[in-house]
Amino acid sequence: QVQVLESGGGSVQTGGSLRLSCRVSGGYIYGTYCMAWFRQAPEKEREGVAGIYPGGSGTVFAASAKDRFTISLDSGDHTLYLQMDSMKPEDTGMYYCAVGGPLMPYYAPSCPGESIDYSYWGHGTEVTVGA
């Protein structure tokens, strides 16, 4: 059974940085599926923040995260990362790691941005950005 465990959340001031980690275990095949980070702010819908293609061959970002966030994958360590820089109060929320999304090679971007498309989820790690 695939297990997903996030870590690295916390509180930072505006302009600060955090790095989230997501360790995946249980026989997950890294070279086949998309992986992504989603977040959910209080009283808002869950939204995609960043995704990475199988094996790290490409990345995709939400407009709000582009040029500030970096997503990366260490396949050898079975860990997905989200580096968040120049953080803003609107980045506050629960961050979830999602894996098992289908690669859609005839679409751009080729990784899905909807939560329903991902098979395995962690329980989330909380991020708070103070003004």
Side-chain angles (χ1 to χ4, degrees):
Q1 179 69 21
V2 175
Q3 295 180 320
V4 181
L5 181 63
E6 305 98 333
S7 62
S11 296
V12 295
Q13 295 300 309
T14 296
S17 298
L18 279 176
R19 188 174 83 154
L20 306 183
S21 299
C22 169
R23 186 164 179 86
V24 184
S25 60
Y28 180 76
I29 302 173
Y30 284 84
T32 305
Y33 300 101
C34 296
M35 307 173 75
W37 287 96
F38 286 77
R39 71 183 176 198
Q40 188 164 16
E43 301 180 358
K44 291 191 176 181
E45 297 287 322
R46 190 172 297 188
E47 62 177 354
V49 174
I52 191 164
Y53 293 16
S57 58
T59 58
V60 57
F61 295 91
S64 60
K66 196 174 181 181
D67 298 328
R68 298 188 301 122
F69 293 4
T70 303
I71 187 171
S72 60
L73 173 65
D74 185 337
S75 298
D77 198 34
H78 299 175
T79 304
L80 178 72
Y81 297 99
L82 183 69
Q83 176 67 41
M84 302 185 291
D85 299 316
S86 302
M87 296 187 72
K88 305 175 181 179
E90 50 263 45
D91 295 323
T92 294
M94 187 70 78
Y95 282 69
Y96 298 90
C97 177
V99 304
L103 179 67
M104 306 174 293
Y106 301 107
Y107 290 81
S110 297
C111 282
E114 299 295 327
S115 58
I116 195 172
D117 292 313
Y118 289 83
S119 302
Y120 304 101
W121 291 79
H123 293 295
T125 184
E126 192 161 8
V127 171
T128 302
V129 184

